[in-house]
Amino acid sequence: MKGSRYEGPFDTRASEWIGDMAVWHQKNDPDNSEQRERMFRNLHKVIRDELTPRQKQMVEMYFFQHKNIPAIAKELGVNRSTVSRTLNRGMGRIQKYLKYSL
């Protein structure tokens, strides 16, 4: 660890941190289907209930529709920086709530 930033295989600042959590659970608990289901159920609850409508829209486009930031920006008629900031805020909220479901 350098400073306060974790530099391991599960970088919480990377956009893939949700996948990293799932991989960590798979490697550390081979029979973790119950925990994984709870995590994904909570993930969908957080997206549905805790994100703003714009955050929800962009998170769904980015993660579930597999669109990149420029494509989302073009489709919604906003700047790429707006998409990036909105995704970062949404991911921060998701992370805040999901850390309690593990």
Side-chain angles (χ1 to χ4, degrees):
M1 269 173 102
K2 288 182 181 177
S4 64
R5 179 148 164 35
Y6 175 73
E7 294 181 352
F10 307 110
D11 183 356
T12 58
R13 292 191 180 188
S15 62
E16 294 83 21
W17 63 269
I18 293 173
D20 288 345
M21 288 189 330
V23 169
W24 182 86
H25 275 291
Q26 269 183 327
K27 288 183 178 181
N28 290 292
D29 186 6
D31 186 22
N32 65 351
S33 58
E34 193 174 307
Q35 291 168 327
R36 286 185 49 160
E37 283 191 32
R38 183 177 63 237
M39 183 183 69
F40 285 113
R41 189 173 48 248
N42 288 341
L43 171 63
H44 290 288
K45 279 183 180 179
V46 170
I47 290 171
R48 184 186 67 231
D49 299 337
E50 303 300 334
L51 298 184
T52 66
R54 193 62 148 186
Q55 289 170 344
K56 178 181 175 181
Q57 179 184 31
M58 291 185 188
V59 164
E60 287 176 350
M61 292 172 82
Y62 188 77
F63 287 102
F64 300 116
Q65 298 174 17
H66 306 289
K67 294 182 180 181
N68 60 23
I69 289 173
I72 295 169
K74 184 176 181 181
E75 186 174 326
L76 298 178
V78 297
N79 288 325
R80 289 181 295 192
S81 62
T82 301
V83 174
S84 180
R85 280 193 311 270
T86 303
L87 283 171
N88 284 332
R89 287 184 190 124
M91 295 304 294
R93 276 186 157 182
I94 291 170
Q95 188 174 17
K96 175 183 168 184
Y97 287 98
L98 280 187
K99 72 181 178 182
Y100 298 109
S101 17
L102 300 176

